[in-house]
Amino acid sequence: DQQVKQNSPSLSVQEGRISILNCDYTNSMFDYFLWYKKYPAEGPTFLISISSIKDKNEDGRFTVFLNKSAKHLSLHIVPSQPGDSAVYFCAASGAGANSKLTFGKGITLSVRP
Amino acid sequence: GAGVSQSPSNKVTEKGKDVELRCDPISGHTALYWYRQSLGQGLEFLIYFQGNSAPDKSGLPSDRFSAERTGGSVSTLTIQRTQQEDSAVYLCASSLSSGRTNEQFFGPGTRLTVL
């Protein structure tokens, strides 16, 4: 039973265009959401997060949108750059002291020069 | 400063053998997590340590898996009598505390292959 779903395994975009990475979740107890980026042979690195009390969080070229009623979030990267090519994981955390993360399967983003 | 380090980076073992994976968290980080990533899957939570509290072992897949954290710093994940389905990348992460908003910093992982 996958609680965090990234249904598209891959995405290819042209440099300079917008990349939109989607994520859906099923557990209504999740209230904090994160995006991690992973290069081959490296551990994931934190990218951006959003609390359930917000519907948007922006950091430079990266913006995360949260639609709680639809249990859906998305990561927008604009403009996309070749260095953004990596695997992106959506993760969620519930309330309470234990902040273990539940991850999606990831989506491979390729940005074409 | 130094990030989270893990050793070994790669481990190949035969079915039935025991393995130990090591994690050195970032100095001063009180929370430590183990995850694993099987082929084509997302990261799966295994176990979580926070200070001197009892660890949350709810993600361990079987009693062949155990972990300890000595002195609130280094952690060792032990897999006994390894099976082929244990093959995965085992990732360790640490954070300043257990708060939900605290970023978890990941190590590079240990790739375990059970033949």
Side-chain angles (χ1 to χ4, degrees):
Chain A
D1 176 30
Q2 248 198 308
Q3 299 186 65
V4 177
K5 300 177 183 179
Q6 295 178 260
N7 293 319
S8 300
S10 63
L11 175 68
S12 180
V13 299
Q14 191 74 37
E15 180 178 7
R17 306 294 291 268
I18 186 171
S19 295
I20 299 177
L21 289 70
N22 293 306
C23 178
D24 298 288
Y25 62 96
T26 58
N27 189 340
S28 57
M29 299 303 291
F30 288 146
D31 67 348
Y32 195 69
F33 304 90
L34 309 90
W35 285 92
Y36 278 80
K37 175 180 179 180
K38 185 181 184 301
Y39 293 116
E42 295 183 10
T45 56
F46 171 77
L47 197 56
I48 192 169
S49 63
I50 188 167
S51 166
S52 61
I53 63 173
K54 295 187 176 182
D55 55 15
K56 176 183 175 181
N57 187 27
E58 187 173 354
D59 183 2
R61 297 186 297 113
F62 303 92
T63 302
V64 56
F65 295 92
L66 175 63
N67 182 334
K68 280 193 68 177
S69 61
K71 294 190 176 68
H72 176 83
L73 64 154
S74 60
L75 173 67
H76 292 210
I77 306 173
V78 56
S80 301
Q81 300 173 354
D84 296 330
S85 298
V87 178
Y88 289 78
F89 290 98
C90 173
S93 175
N98 187 339
S99 53
K100 67 183 181 185
L101 299 174
T102 300
F103 284 85
K105 290 186 177 183
I107 177 170
T108 300
L109 173 65
S110 299
V111 180
R112 307 184 303 273
Chain B
V4 177
S5 61
Q6 293 185 246
S7 60
S9 55
N10 281 284
K11 177 71 176 179
V12 180
T13 191
E14 294 180 347
K15 177 181 174 181
K17 300 284 189 182
D18 297 352
V19 295
E20 283 190 355
L21 312 180
R22 177 187 168 105
C23 171
D24 283 89
I26 293 172
S27 177
H29 281 193
T30 60
L32 187 147
Y33 310 79
W34 283 97
Y35 297 85
R36 74 175 176 181
Q37 184 182 14
S38 302
L39 190 63
Q41 302 297 313
L43 280 72
E44 172 192 12
F45 167 78
L46 297 177
I47 188 169
Y48 154 71
F49 296 89
Q50 170 56 41
N52 295 322
S53 303
D56 176 353
K57 305 179 182 180
S58 61
L60 295 179
S62 79
D63 58 8
R64 295 186 295 104
F65 288 71
S66 63
E68 62 178 20
R69 188 178 185 192
T70 54
S73 180
V74 171
S75 177
T76 302
L77 177 70
T78 301
I79 309 174
Q80 295 179 310
R81 304 180 303 281
T82 52
Q83 304 294 313
Q84 288 183 332
E85 61 262 29
D86 299 334
S87 297
V89 177
Y90 289 80
L91 290 152
C92 175
S94 69
S95 66
L96 276 172
S97 71
S98 65
R100 290 180 296 112
T101 59
N102 281 300
E103 176 185 344
Q104 294 183 22
F105 294 82
F106 283 82
T110 293
R111 180 175 296 279
L112 175 65
T113 303
V114 182
L115 302 177

